Every structure is written in structure tokens, then in C-alpha cells.
Amino acid sequence: MDMEIERKFLLPEYPERLIQEGQVQVLTRHSIDQTYLAIEDGQELRVRKITDLDSGEITYTHTFKDGKGISRKEIEYSISEGLYNQMIEAVKAVPLVKTRITGIWNGTTIEIDLYTQLELTVVEVEFDSLEAAESFVAPEWFGKDVSVEKKYSNKTVWKELQNK
């Protein structure tokens, strides 16, 4: 089981200027439909439909996560469109939709998530170790560190979306 170690920041504005100046290099752009199948305590099961906005290619994933905080166990694998559709039909939930821009800033891979159904934009950075995550100094433009604030977790945002 792999470990996901990441920090999340509340991005005050999309870094268009930094992209235009070449300080942030965009690698990929994806639309992600994310639906949770089960959420209990520190565990979650989810599926995603991921559309590459440049090529149009669509892939599907199934993910299990366990843990809380910036370091969690994660198992993720590809699934078929048919299996994805069966799971979506079974839960009859509204997917959380976001555009994910993956890029490089200052030698670091960053993921910017722009949520479609609500006014929220975050930037995430994944790390190889807890020490690297804890010692990371974010630039001011990343905004407030919300890595351990439950209200900004995808599963909390998704749950709120189900109640609308």
C-alpha cells in the first residue's frame, strides 16, 4: 500500500500571471468527476472519471484511502467504464467536479484544483516523505495552509454537495 503525503493550500487566485511568465509550467489539464462510494472514520472509497482536456482521453479509477492528516495510506487502480458506471448508478450521488491543472513550480510538481460547483480553488503538493512535507516552505501566492482543516477535504466538500 502506497503512502500519500500531501499539503493543501487555499489558493486565493488562479496563477495566470505566473503561468504566462513561465514561473509555473502547465503539464496537464483534466476534468475530474469524483464520487465517494463509502466514507467511514478515516477510510474512504471513491471512483473518478478523468477526462484529459487536451486529448479528450477518458480514464476511470477506484481509490481506497485510510488515515487522517497529511499522510494517508492509498491504493488506486484503473477500472473500466462499465464498472465505473455500475458504481455510480449504485450510489446515485452527485459527483464533485473539478478541473485539475498539474504543473511545475520551482522544480516542484503542483496540482491546482478549481471546483466547478462551488467557489473553491486549492493547490496541493505531494511529497516523498513526511519530513519533506513538514519542511516545505510554501510561497505566499499559495495562500493559507489548509492541509489538516477537515472542511477543505474533498470528502467533506462532496458530502456538503449531496445536501444541496
Side-chain angles (χ1 to χ4, degrees), residues 17-43:
R17 181 182 59 80
L18 296 176
I19 292 169
Q20 289 175 351
E21 293 174 356
Q23 292 183 49
V24 173
Q25 297 172 288
V26 173
L27 301 176
T28 59
R29 300 177 321 116
H30 293 100
S31 176
I32 300 173
D33 291 15
Q34 181 165 303
T35 303
Y36 288 85
L37 307 173
I39 300 171
E40 187 173 318
D41 214 11
Q43 296 184 336

Side-chain angles (χ1 to χ4, degrees), residues 36-105:
Y36 288 85
L37 307 173
I39 300 171
E40 187 173 318
D41 214 11
Q43 296 184 336
E44 62 189 66
L45 278 176
R46 70 159 194 239
V47 290
R48 281 180 168 173
K49 174 183 177 183
I50 304 166
T51 306
D52 186 307
L53 296 174
D54 296 313
S55 71
E57 179 185 1
I58 299 173
T59 56
Y60 303 89
T61 63
H62 183 261
T63 305
F64 167 76
K65 291 190 180 191
D66 185 21
K68 297 177 181 175
I70 65 171
S71 178
R72 303 187 298 166
K73 295 176 185 171
E74 178 183 68
I75 301 170
E76 184 170 82
Y77 54 90
S78 295
I79 59 173
S80 68
E81 179 181 7
L83 186 54
Y84 170 84
N85 287 333
Q86 285 178 349
M87 289 190 226
I88 291 299
E89 183 61 31
V91 296
K92 297 188 184 327
V94 177
L96 179 63
V97 180
K98 59 188 175 183
T99 299
R100 171 165 289 168
I101 310 298
T102 302
I104 301 288
W105 164 79

